[in-house]
């Protein structure tokens, strides 16, 4: 583990106090820092791309 790097990110980047930093679990720290390998949130451009690739099929509704 890169403790100096994690401490810089937690204390300087996130503004955590040392006692709060050391009480975090590694999973909590990763969550707070953001996982660079995670899938980015869906934005308008990606939604439009998906809509073009997978258009909704026309469904005729029955009346009554």
């Amino acid at each position: 583990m890169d403790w100096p790097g994690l401490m810089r990110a937690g204390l300087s980047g996130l503004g955590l106090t040392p006692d709060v930093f050391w009480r975090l679990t590694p999973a909590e720290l990763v969550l707070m820092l953001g996982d660079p390998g995670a899938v980015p949130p869906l934005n308008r451009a990606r939604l439009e791309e998906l809509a073009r690739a997978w258009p909704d099929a026309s469904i005729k509704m029955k009346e009554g």
Side-chain angles (χ1 to χ4, degrees):
M1 287 233 143
D2 176 18
W3 286 112
L6 290 173
M7 289 175 66
R8 273 192 302 281
L11 302 175
S12 297
L14 296 175
L16 302 173
T17 59
D19 62 313
V20 171
F21 174 83
W22 289 112
R23 283 196 312 252
L24 291 173
T25 65
E28 291 169 328
L29 186 57
V30 166
L31 181 65
M32 292 177 78
L33 291 172
D35 182 0
V39 175
L42 183 66
N43 61 23
R44 172 61 74 180
R46 181 66 176 137
L47 177 61
E48 289 172 356
E49 179 184 337
L50 289 171
R52 283 190 302 275
W54 303 96
D56 291 334
S58 177
I59 299 173
K60 292 185 178 183
M61 302 279 294
K62 289 185 179 179
E63 295 201 23

